[in-house]
Amino acid sequence: MIGIGIVGAKGRMGRAIAAVLKEHERARLVGGADRGDDPTWLAEACDVLIDFSSPAALAGTLAAAEAAGKPVVIGTTGIGDEHHAAIDRAARSIPVLQAANMSLGVNLLAHLVREAAARLGPDWDIEIVEMHHRHKVDAPSGTALLLGEAAAAGRGIDLAAHSERGRDGITGARQSGAIGFASLRGGSVAGDHQVVLAAEGERIELGHRAESRDIFARGAVQAALWLHGRPARRYAMTDVLGL
Ligand code: NAD
């Protein structure tokens, strides 16, 4: 049995992962840490740490995992360049898997979006629409950005230099080659994403709907089991899924 420690244990995802572990044949819950706790003991006690909390927790999680020499799975979204740099630094000494979305379906969708963007060319406008529950604090969602990165990679462009976010008022016409984002919030939606590729007179829509958080929780546990025993490096969910 692989022992799992959860950072963000009291949150929606933390509780969903604990529920998955209750039934699991190969992994068990060692314990959890939440806001105000020092994750050092948890990193020492577990075989793999899973963090679904907030970007503010990331430095502490990585430091605890590095000190204990344990692999870590990062599912927290809303992370910026400085967080990605910290993950890269930690991945020199421990295995780290970071994924804005842990579901098989979304990672396959990203693969399809990359293909579509590569084949269709820049005269097809790309817009990414997402909807999440009313409690979500970051926008666009980490998954929308993951899909945007896939589209940008297909086109061979830098997403940051080509994204259009939060349009409001007299914005002017759409920039040619831009990748647009729109975020909807409401109710209990676990996560809907739609990628629209629009040209003169036709439109392609590629989408994914998460019906519950369980898909992310199961994916995170699958990632933790896969990561255990791997060499120090940064990994993505596509590595786990062989995409
Ligand atoms: P939530 O608000 O329900 O839970 C977050 C938990 O983290 C809370 O219990 C909070 O107290 C705790 N926390 C906050 N700051 C902390 C800190 N500094 N140290 C320790 N714990 C801290 O949120 P959620 O819906 O469970 O989502 C958590 C994160 O996971 C979000 O960033 C969300 O976007 C992301 N998420 C990722 C995926 C994925 O597949 N990668 C899927 C769903 C959600």
Side-chain angles (χ1 to χ4, degrees):
M1 285 294 243
I2 302 288
I4 305 289
I6 305 173
V7 179
K10 292 183 181 163
R12 282 172 287 260
M13 279 305 301
R15 283 177 278 135
I17 293 166
V20 165
L21 289 173
K22 255 188 195 150
E23 318 265 301
H24 211 280
E25 288 179 350
R26 291 172 53 213
R28 67 183 176 88
L29 181 64
V30 166
D34 207 275
R35 199 191 297 272
D37 300 332
D38 179 353
T40 306
W41 69 271
L42 186 60
E44 283 165 5
C46 72
D47 297 309
V48 185
L49 263 188
I50 300 182
D51 183 324
F52 279 75
S53 58
S54 83
L58 194 65
T61 300
L62 291 173
E66 271 192 279
K70 300 291 170 65
V72 56
V73 173
I74 309 283
T76 302
T77 65
I79 59 178
D81 291 347
E82 72 280 18
H83 301 110
H84 283 291
I87 291 171
D88 288 337
R89 275 195 302 278
R92 291 189 209 131
S93 59
I94 53 168
V96 185
L97 186 147
Q98 181 268 327
N101 193 301
M102 302 272 172
S103 93
L104 167 64
V106 161
N107 285 282
L108 182 64
L109 174 63
H111 184 75
L112 298 174
V113 167
R114 184 183 169 134
E115 276 293 296
R119 282 162 197 268
L120 292 171
D123 50 335
W124 285 71
D125 299 328
I126 302 180
E127 294 281 307
I128 300 172
V129 186
E130 53 108 342
M131 179 159 187
H132 282 83
H133 55 87
R134 60 166 73 101
H135 303 289
K136 185 162 178 64
V137 295
D138 54 314
S141 69
T143 302
L145 293 170
L146 178 154
L147 294 169
E149 289 289 358
R155 281 198 173 161
I157 57 169
D158 175 40
L159 179 64
H162 290 87
S163 58
E164 284 190 3
R165 289 161 65 158
R167 298 187 189 105
D168 185 24
I170 310 293
T171 59
R174 191 182 196 287
Q175 292 284 321
S176 169
I179 296 175
F181 292 87
S183 298
L184 284 66
R185 294 289 174 265
S188 58
V189 180
D192 290 353
H193 292 87
Q194 192 183 29
V195 179
V196 183
L197 298 111
E200 285 296 324
E202 58 182 327
R203 208 153 68 231
I204 297 169
E205 297 174 357
L206 299 170
H208 179 268
R209 289 181 199 276
E211 291 175 5
S212 92
R213 289 183 181 82
D214 292 0
I215 58 168
F216 311 125
R218 280 198 299 273
V221 173
Q222 187 184 351
L225 287 168
W226 182 89
L227 200 58
H228 185 249
R230 302 259 161 200
R233 215 194 90 187
R234 181 169 179 163
Y235 299 94
M237 206 56 195
T238 44
D239 296 315
V240 182
L241 302 170
L243 288 172

